[in-house]
Amino acid sequence: DAGVIQSPRHEVTEMGQEVTLRCKPISGHDYLFWYRQTMMRGLELLIYFNNNVPIDDSGMPEDRFSAKMPNASFSTLKIQPSEPRDSAVYFCASSLRINYGYTFGSGTRLTVV
Amino acid sequence: SQKIEQNSEALNIQEGKTATLTCNYTNYSPAYLQWYRQDPGRGPVFLLLIRENEKEKRKERLKVTFDTTLKQSLFHITASQPADSATYLCALGREAAGNKLTFGGGTRVLVKP
């Protein structure tokens, strides 16, 4: 398995533009997580899915953020409109079962100018 | 509020020695605790999971302890090598909170030859 695949690796966009981050989890993993990492706040959970259903989105900063998982092999995180404070590394992770370790992707480094 | 504390200062250690990292938590009753390694520009990599009813877990040169009375986990790297240099993150989870993990800020380890 190629692991969790995220795209793009880097994204630079102007304030106000829409940004879409993509994730392909490991096949057979029931859980998918979106995290954001910054120096100041560390790794923060944004949202997670179980069997493609959003379970907890309490970490989503505001309505500008949305996430979908249309099928077991694909998820997106969208920011519209983007702001400079959204600049961070966004990680997608998947997990086989509850209480199992997570497999993280390589992340998307987002810079909003 | 829940708090997970890891030493934010880097740990510098001589090759061959044992590195010991601490993870303390407050206002939290985790069912399990996980440790991850993160290299610069990469996503975290799962290392070990220990449950609340387990005192100690080992994997090769790694050892984790979990003391729910002290609300603390210790992570040991024995016979450390320069290749062990990385940031190490602890993360706590509870079944009642689904399978979502809350991460500490991480401790950077630098093993000098």
Side-chain angles (χ1 to χ4, degrees):
Chain A
D1 201 319
V4 175
I5 300 172
Q6 291 187 246
S7 65
R9 283 300 309 273
H10 303 274
E11 177 81 39
V12 180
T13 190
E14 291 186 348
M15 182 173 64
Q17 296 297 306
E18 178 180 295
V19 175
T20 299
L21 311 181
R22 297 172 176 80
C23 175
K24 176 178 167 53
I26 291 176
S27 176
H29 280 195
D30 291 341
Y31 291 84
L32 183 140
F33 308 85
W34 282 101
Y35 279 84
R36 176 170 69 176
Q37 188 174 39
T38 61
M39 288 293 292
M40 290 296 297
R41 300 174 68 89
L43 263 173
E44 300 175 284
L45 178 66
L46 301 177
I47 185 171
Y48 81 96
F49 297 82
N50 178 210
N51 292 321
N52 313 338
V53 176
I55 302 299
D56 187 337
D57 65 354
S58 59
M60 296 286 260
E62 44 197 275
D63 292 345
R64 298 184 297 107
F65 286 68
S66 63
K68 294 182 180 180
M69 192 166 185
N71 56 62
S73 59
F74 185 65
S75 178
T76 60
L77 177 68
K78 186 177 293 187
I79 308 173
Q80 165 63 21
S82 57
E83 297 182 2
R85 60 192 168 120
D86 301 330
S87 297
V89 180
Y90 290 81
F91 288 105
C92 174
S94 68
S95 176
L96 182 62
R97 301 275 190 274
I98 194 168
N99 292 353
Y100 276 53
Y102 292 6
T103 301
F104 280 81
S106 296
T108 295
R109 180 173 293 277
L110 174 65
T111 303
V112 183
V113 298
Chain B
S1 62
Q2 300 169 0
K3 203 170 183 181
I4 301 170
E5 291 184 329
Q6 294 186 256
N7 194 341
S8 58
E9 288 186 20
L11 177 65
N12 292 298
I13 191 163
Q14 202 66 34
E15 182 176 7
K17 300 294 185 183
T18 297
T20 298
L21 284 66
T22 303
C23 176
N24 295 301
Y25 59 92
T26 55
N27 297 324
Y28 206 96
S29 297
Y32 54 93
L33 188 148
Q34 300 185 14
W35 283 89
Y36 288 77
R37 167 186 173 139
Q38 187 173 24
D39 292 283
R42 310 291 296 272
V45 175
F46 171 70
L47 296 174
L48 281 164
L49 180 153
I50 186 166
R51 304 184 193 284
E52 60 179 336
N53 60 348
E54 298 174 316
K55 295 296 184 186
E56 182 179 299
K57 208 76 169 284
R58 291 176 184 262
K59 179 184 176 183
E60 298 172 353
R61 293 183 295 108
L62 307 179
K63 185 178 85 171
V64 173
T65 62
F66 192 10
D67 189 325
T68 55
T69 300
L70 292 178
K71 296 186 181 298
Q72 179 182 80
S73 174
L74 298 179
F75 178 83
H76 305 273
I77 308 172
T78 59
S80 58
Q81 304 167 0
D84 295 326
S85 299
T87 296
Y88 292 85
L89 302 156
C90 72
L92 279 63
R94 293 180 297 160
E95 277 87 354
N99 191 23
K100 62 180 186 179
L101 291 178
T102 302
F103 282 82
T107 298
R108 186 176 172 195
V109 173
L110 180 59
V111 182
K112 298 181 178 179

